[in-house]
Amino acid sequence: ADNPVPSLESLGFTPEEIRTLEHPDSRGVLAFKGGEAAGIERVEEYIWRNDCLKEYFETRNGMIGPDYSTKFSPWLALGCVSPRYIHEEATRYEQERVKNKSTYWIT
């Protein structure tokens, strides 16, 4: 049976609420999107494309900006990304790029 995902309107959201959801608060540091694909994308972005893992120890307590800390928590908390996957990527990073105090804190 075909069971389409219900629309926001059918779930009782008002047009104003839907506009808010479609345009997240600009004060947010990331546009968090759910799901495994988005979680893996964040891991790839943080570790590989932005090469932030090597500086994690120095930046981990920063609050403003997408690359202060990992921001993996939402995906970890909901089971979209496993700790094992992050550990494997961090270990691979250590083998391919650099192993230091920052990578130790992630692994």
Side-chain angles (χ1 to χ4, degrees):
D2 187 22
N3 294 319
V5 175
S7 69
L8 294 175
E9 293 88 356
S10 71
L11 294 172
F13 285 87
T14 67
E16 183 179 333
E17 291 170 323
I18 293 170
R19 278 192 299 279
T20 300
L21 292 171
E22 292 171 347
H23 303 286
D25 190 327
S26 63
R27 296 171 294 175
V29 298
L30 281 178
F32 287 104
K33 295 186 184 209
E36 181 182 25
I40 289 172
E41 173 66 21
R42 174 59 188 165
V43 173
E44 296 294 317
E45 176 184 50
Y46 183 84
I47 293 178
W48 298 106
R49 286 194 300 279
N50 295 353
D51 203 24
C52 295
L53 187 54
K54 66 184 176 194
E55 300 168 338
Y56 172 78
F57 185 79
E58 292 79 22
T59 62
R60 73 191 188 285
N61 293 323
M63 300 299 285
I64 299 174
D67 293 331
Y68 289 97
S69 195
T70 65
K71 311 283 192 291
F72 297 158
S73 294
W75 294 283
L76 284 165
L78 296 172
C80 299
V81 174
S82 73
R84 181 174 292 171
Y85 174 74
I86 293 171
H87 179 266
E88 289 170 355
E89 289 300 294
T91 300
R92 184 164 69 98
Y93 181 90
E94 288 180 328
Q95 294 167 351
E96 294 180 16
R97 294 200 181 166
V98 67
K99 182 176 183 177
N100 62 19
K101 188 175 187 176
S102 290
T103 62
Y104 169 80
W105 274 62
I106 295 295
T107 59

